[in-house]
Amino acid sequence: AKLFERRRDLVVGMLNAADGISCPTPDGAFYVYPSIADLIGKTAPNGVQINNDEIFATQLLETKGVAVVFGAAFGLSPNFRISYATSDEALTEACTRIQDFCASLV
């Protein structure tokens, strides 16, 4: 349980450090559902406007190689879901790429 708490805290902390993302700390499960409400309407470097969480997830995958599930699939827009049931190294890399992607939006 401590391992997952540490990974949860790592992901929550790194996502909250990303421009425009607000990530609450979940009580259980192995997922977080960060909000991208502050990123809606921003534009990716390739000119695509981030109009919803599905576009955010697609652009994140295409530009940074990070796969997340868009929140609309769970009725949770404008959020996305990311699992922290993987290694610390993978989580750190993914969250760094998410931070870079968010910082690139204008």
Side-chain angles (χ1 to χ4, degrees), residues 70-93:
F70 58 93
F74 307 98
L76 293 171
S77 289
N79 300 57
F80 66 93
R81 183 178 88 167
I82 188 167
S83 169
Y84 51 89
T86 187
S87 72
D88 290 19
E89 295 77 15
L91 293 170
T92 299
E93 179 66 24

Side-chain angles (χ1 to χ4, degrees), residues 42-77:
K42 298 225 179 228
T43 304
N46 62 1
V48 174
Q49 189 169 30
I50 307 298
N51 292 324
N52 59 47
D53 47 283
E54 186 171 0
I55 294 170
F56 175 88
T58 300
Q59 289 299 306
L60 179 63
L61 178 61
E62 290 179 0
T63 63
K64 295 294 181 181
V66 177
V68 299
V69 181
F70 58 93
F74 307 98
L76 293 171
S77 289

Side-chain angles (χ1 to χ4, degrees), residues 3-78:
L3 175 68
F4 284 109
E5 282 182 24
R6 188 185 77 233
R7 288 177 176 164
R8 177 199 66 200
D9 294 344
L10 169 74
V11 169
V12 168
M14 289 189 75
L15 292 177
N16 276 321
D19 296 340
I21 291 183
S22 173
C23 186
T25 302
D27 291 329
F30 303 108
Y31 306 102
V32 291
Y33 288 94
S35 171
I36 58 158
D38 292 343
L39 299 176
I40 300 299
K42 298 225 179 228
T43 304
N46 62 1
V48 174
Q49 189 169 30
I50 307 298
N51 292 324
N52 59 47
D53 47 283
E54 186 171 0
I55 294 170
F56 175 88
T58 300
Q59 289 299 306
L60 179 63
L61 178 61
E62 290 179 0
T63 63
K64 295 294 181 181
V66 177
V68 299
V69 181
F70 58 93
F74 307 98
L76 293 171
S77 289

